[in-house]
Amino acid sequence: MKRLTCIVLVLSHISFAQDGGDFDFKGYLKYLSSANFQDVDEPWITDQLLHNRLEFRYYPNEKWTFDLEMRNRLFFGQQVTLLSSIDTLDYPGFIEDDGGFFDLSHNWASGKSYILNTTIDRFFADYAAGNWQVRAGRHRINWGQNLVWNPNDVFNAYSYFDFDYEERPGTDAVRLQYFTGFTSAAEFVYQLGDHIDEMSFTGLYKFSKWNYDFQFLGGLVKRDLVIGTGWSGDIEGGGFRGEFTYFHDKDSLSDPVGQLVASISGDYTFPSSLYLHGSVIYNSKGATEKTGGINPNVLTETSAKNLTLARMNLFGQISYQISPLWRGDLASILNPYDGSFFVGPGASYSLADNMELLFFGQFFGGDEGTEYGGIGKLFYFRLKWAF
Amino acid sequence: MKKRKIDFLLDNLLKRTAGKLLLCFGFWVVPVLVQGQNAKEIVMRMDKKWRGDYVTQEMTMTIIRPTWQRSISMKTWGRGMDYSMVYITAPAKEKGQVFMKRNKEMWNWVPSIDRMIKLPPSMMMQSWMGSDFTNDDLIRESSVVRDYVHSIIGAEEILGRMCYKIKLIPKQEAAVVWGKVILWITKEDDLQLKIEFYDEDEYLVNTQLLSDIREMGGRVIPCKLEMIPADEEGKKTVIDITSADYRTEVKESFFSQQNMKRIR
């Protein structure tokens, strides 16, 4: 909180010659209800989440932007009761843990069956002049090109299964961008950390050529020296994207082998709006036998290095606009080594311009000890009102 | 070597035959050519007037179905055929999203996740946000001038104005989904008032009606566009242009990824 106070003090002393400026406010309120079970006749574990997001943006003039965004969440239900009863887990503490350089997460109240938390996930000042742009504070730096797995997204990779967190977490960093052309830019990011092993110093250069977007990145990301490349383009009208990132522990450079994480994807949209999407991820350090399971309820910090626990995962998706109001979606992930899998059917319905219903399933299958085995089936129902 | 020679011979033969044909049928071929030229010129004038050299507009699109309707509002900027930018202003769920086209390439900026997504061409023919318009209709990748062969097939009155009725047949190499398009363009001031879109089997798919003709931002334009799918009672998508500016130049440098992140 001390760090936060410092920033607020600095910001409050920046004065602006112009009066007024523009103010922007938006947000949403979501109610997410879920049921988790191994078998439909076994006991269900239900969970409820009231999730409010507030976004404030202030533009004092053409050059400056100030942004503050927060999520307020009330967790309640059996899942909370169950996880809170595990002494070794400290579930309220897990929810409150910020994970960034600044501690901007706070539990207002918590009990055996509820937790009320506020997390500020965007908090930054942005200055743009000429071809330059500088942004400092907590913000998202997204270097991904693919639509599912992003090995190039070295700052805030996310778990695909955490579908309810649409905005994804932010990174505490200073980002300097220089736009070298209409579709090209060079940038440098310094990620704040208490210790050199938590800091990052990374550069990226991106440009367009032959109707493709290309990017190259390199630097130090926490403990790893990193080098990577990514692209987005098309083959016969279908999207063709890829990302390769190579990580090497900076403290064991004598070790000849680092870690390569790569993902390639293709997607095609038919005039009927039928959308097909396939992707593969390769992780050179991934397991080719049983990986041990993931837990989608307690998603630990995901990094570009552990997007999958296996050597390889395959992804397939088909979606279709059934009517302007209904959209259907079916996604699946397979671990070809241990045979475990994920299937996610979903349907969304527009109730009004700013109101949406979502029905979603996360069905995991596989033997004990496999990547997706032992998780069971999760059913979700979500009502979202945006304002 | 052999293939080249055959190509040369074929080419020569075609030229000579074409020459003879032109001589034989010259009397009626020439007027048709002139008429074709006229039709193309009318479409060009209409397109230039409608599109302008550059234009800034605000509009609201409403999808209307028998039991419900949904609206989406946006600001758009265009420069000729090759550059356009769309900023979504409402509803709240979509607000802030930006689409940009530069020549044949298109990007989508999603500010909530700080993500620039390059859109592949196959997405162009997809319906725009579930409406009766495709991405292509709005971003205007295909050109009514460049991608079609034009001919005048009659004259009809629409909204009390006399119009040329012009048939457009897509050129073989053009990336167009339609089999045929018919345009009604006013004789007096080159405004299009009606468009019919036919599929490859010559069945009517969509009809677009343009109305509410007024002066806006330096031009007289239809401010209301209705896209009506054929054979579907009570369904249509309406675009209302709420403001337009044809006077202020929109520079090419406006259409940059840097600006996509800045406009509002």
Side-chain angles (χ1 to χ4, degrees):
Chain A
M1 267 329 211
K2 232 182 196 174
R3 284 168 177 156
L4 185 62
T5 319
C6 283
I7 292 183
V8 172
L9 281 174
V10 170
L11 290 184
S12 63
H13 280 83
I14 297 176
S15 60
F16 302 99
Q18 293 92 333
D19 289 323
D22 285 344
F23 188 74
D24 225 357
F25 167 72
K26 64 175 188 155
Y28 58 67
L29 184 65
K30 294 194 284 198
Y31 170 68
L32 176 73
S33 175
S34 69
N36 183 1
F37 51 80
Q38 290 284 353
D39 186 283
V40 72
D41 293 324
E42 298 283 307
W44 296 14
I45 300 163
T46 59
D47 202 17
Q48 328 290 326
L49 174 65
L50 260 179
H51 182 171
N52 159 245
R53 185 175 185 83
L54 301 173
E55 301 182 1
F56 305 92
R57 216 162 233 237
Y58 176 55
Y59 307 91
N61 55 43
E62 278 302 307
K63 289 177 174 165
W64 284 95
T65 305
F66 294 97
D67 186 283
L68 172 69
E69 301 174 26
M70 66 181 77
R71 52 197 316 231
N72 304 305
R73 290 174 298 165
L74 176 66
F75 303 77
F76 58 102
Q78 289 170 328
Q79 184 83 40
V80 182
T81 316
L82 194 77
L83 291 169
S84 297
S85 68
I86 305 170
D87 289 337
T88 50
L89 181 64
D90 180 21
Y91 191 56
F94 172 79
I95 295 292
E96 192 174 32
D97 182 31
D98 186 278
F101 177 74
F102 301 113
D103 181 9
L104 306 181
S105 172
H106 180 66
N107 283 352
W108 299 105
S110 67
K112 284 204 169 99
S113 295
Y114 71 96
I115 303 165
L116 177 63
N117 173 274
T118 291
T119 303
I120 295 172
D121 61 1
R122 303 283 191 278
F123 181 64
F124 62 81
D126 183 289
Y127 179 79
N131 293 334
W132 292 92
Q133 185 179 355
V134 191
R135 182 171 287 192
R138 173 168 291 185
H139 51 106
R140 183 152 162 77
I141 302 161
N142 189 341
W143 286 352
Q145 297 284 340
N146 282 311
L147 304 169
V148 178
W149 290 303
N150 299 115
N152 280 178
D153 191 5
V154 291
F155 293 105
N156 34 35
Y158 61 91
S159 163
Y160 176 77
F161 303 108
D162 189 7
F163 72 95
D164 190 46
Y165 192 5
E166 297 158 82
E167 296 76 19
R168 310 296 175 191
T171 304
D172 298 326
V174 179
R175 182 188 196 179
L176 177 67
Q177 296 185 79
Y178 181 75
F179 295 89
T180 50
F182 301 129
T183 56
S184 61
E187 55 183 280
F188 172 77
V189 172
Y190 163 58
Q191 181 178 6
L192 282 71
D194 283 320
H195 184 265
I196 185 80
D197 284 348
E198 289 172 3
M199 294 180 192
S200 301
F201 306 87
T202 316
L204 173 128
Y205 180 65
K206 59 178 179 182
F207 60 95
S208 289
K209 187 91 183 156
W210 310 301
N211 289 343
Y212 270 66
D213 284 359
F214 291 100
Q215 65 186 25
F216 293 95
L217 62 102
L220 184 68
V221 176
K222 297 182 176 174
R223 293 182 55 85
D224 291 294
L225 285 169
V226 163
I227 184 165
T229 182
W231 74 85
S232 280
D234 78 278
I235 296 177
E236 296 293 323
F240 173 53
R241 306 167 210 269
E243 291 172 44
F244 285 71
T245 307
Y246 179 77
F247 302 85
H248 201 121
D249 191 325
K250 70 177 164 60
D251 295 326
S252 54
L253 288 175
S254 53
D255 187 344
V257 191
Q259 182 183 358
L260 173 70
V261 184
S263 179
I264 292 178
S265 69
D267 63 272
Y268 195 88
T269 310
F270 292 89
S272 65
S273 94
L274 177 71
Y275 170 77
L276 300 178
H277 177 199
S279 187
V280 55
I281 184 167
Y282 170 82
N283 172 8
S284 68
K285 286 260 170 91
T288 52
E289 54 283 334
K290 289 181 178 179
T291 59
I294 59 154
N295 185 350
N297 294 316
V298 188
L299 292 161
T300 46
E301 194 186 349
T302 310
S303 96
K305 286 166 77 177
N306 60 13
L307 295 169
T308 172
L309 304 173
R311 180 70 54 87
M312 191 186 281
N313 261 197
L314 304 168
F315 171 88
Q317 183 186 15
I318 174 167
S319 64
Y320 185 65
Q321 191 79 39
I322 302 157
S323 79
L325 300 184
W326 276 107
R327 185 167 184 86
D329 188 76
L330 180 70
S332 184
I333 293 174
L334 173 72
N335 176 336
Y337 295 103
D338 66 16
S340 67
F341 62 91
F342 157 82
V343 178
S348 65
Y349 180 74
S350 163
L351 285 167
D353 276 331
N354 279 320
M355 191 93 77
E356 187 190 68
L357 262 184
L358 175 74
F359 302 94
F360 193 65
Q362 289 186 327
F363 308 147
F364 297 88
D367 297 334
E368 199 69 20
T370 57
E371 192 170 15
Y372 303 116
I375 300 166
K377 299 177 181 67
L378 292 116
F379 285 88
Y380 297 92
F381 159 84
R382 186 175 78 183
L383 181 64
K384 178 178 176 180
W385 171 55
F387 52 81
Chain B
M1 210 45 200
K2 229 175 192 174
K3 191 177 177 300
R4 265 186 151 178
K5 205 168 176 184
I6 291 168
D7 280 352
F8 174 75
L9 284 173
L10 265 177
D11 200 37
N12 232 346
L13 187 71
L14 276 174
K15 269 183 194 157
R16 268 189 291 166
T17 321
K20 267 183 195 157
L21 279 174
L22 199 64
L23 270 179
C24 292
F25 301 106
F27 288 107
W28 61 269
V29 167
V30 171
V32 167
L33 280 178
V34 168
Q35 203 231 8
Q37 204 60 32
N38 272 339
K40 187 175 181 176
E41 272 169 20
I42 295 163
V43 174
M44 267 172 82
R45 282 204 303 270
M46 176 281 294
D47 190 52
K48 192 164 165 44
K49 186 161 188 177
W50 175 237
R51 199 188 292 277
D53 293 327
Y54 24 77
V55 57
T56 306
Q57 288 179 327
E58 286 183 54
M59 57 180 84
T60 296
M61 181 176 84
T62 309
I63 305 167
I64 298 173
R65 295 292 181 266
T67 52
W68 55 266
Q69 62 181 60
R70 296 283 181 277
S71 288
I72 181 163
S73 301
M74 59 201 114
K75 282 186 196 174
T76 68
W77 295 262
R79 183 183 170 92
M81 269 292 295
D82 294 329
Y83 304 98
S84 59
M85 188 104 90
V86 177
Y87 174 85
I88 310 292
T89 52
K93 193 162 61 95
E94 317 284 352
K95 190 185 172 188
Q97 279 209 50
V98 184
F99 294 84
M100 177 174 82
K101 179 175 110 74
R102 284 186 64 90
N103 301 310
K104 295 239 171 240
E105 292 183 277
M106 206 173 140
W107 291 268
N108 174 206
W109 168 245
V110 189
S112 61
I113 53 168
D114 186 69
R115 178 72 199 266
M116 189 69 75
I117 301 172
K118 190 163 200 306
L119 299 180
S122 67
M123 275 191 188
M124 294 303 291
M125 294 305 169
Q126 194 189 196
S127 133
W128 166 269
M129 307 258 175
S131 75
D132 299 308
F133 286 86
T134 63
N135 281 339
D136 184 72
D137 289 329
L138 289 160
I139 300 288
R140 285 188 264 189
E141 170 61 32
S142 61
S143 157
V144 285
V145 177
R146 193 186 55 205
D147 292 338
Y148 295 89
V149 177
H150 316 78
S151 56
I152 298 175
I153 55 168
E156 275 173 22
E157 200 180 272
I158 296 180
L159 300 174
R161 292 161 183 253
M162 212 49 201
C163 295
Y164 290 111
K165 190 174 171 184
I166 297 174
K167 184 169 81 172
L168 278 65
I169 301 293
K171 292 179 181 168
Q172 212 138 42
E173 68 279 7
V176 171
V177 285
W178 310 115
K180 176 175 87 175
V181 176
I182 296 180
L183 297 180
W184 281 258
I185 298 174
T186 58
K187 287 187 174 180
E188 197 183 323
D189 49 5
D190 308 316
L191 293 173
Q192 61 179 348
L193 296 185
K194 184 176 170 183
I195 312 167
E196 285 179 350
F197 299 93
Y198 292 83
D199 67 10
E200 278 159 349
D201 302 323
E202 302 244 334
Y203 281 105
L204 179 66
V205 180
N206 283 326
T207 303
Q208 195 182 134
L209 299 176
L210 298 95
S211 57
D212 190 16
I213 299 154
R214 303 185 256 144
E215 197 275 334
M216 204 177 251
R219 286 213 186 160
V220 175
I221 53 161
C223 294
K224 184 173 185 162
L225 288 69
E226 291 172 275
M227 187 73 101
I228 305 162
D231 309 323
E232 295 186 71
E233 195 73 23
K235 287 189 180 181
K236 64 177 171 181
T237 299
V238 180
I239 291 182
D240 287 298
I241 299 172
T242 50
S243 83
D245 179 2
Y246 287 94
R247 294 190 186 101
T248 313
E249 186 183 357
V250 187
K251 293 205 168 78
E252 190 205 328
S253 60
F254 180 88
F255 303 93
S256 70
Q257 291 186 351
Q258 182 183 16
N259 205 31
M260 279 178 92
K261 300 177 181 183
R262 299 289 300 168
I263 57 165
R264 59 194 154 95

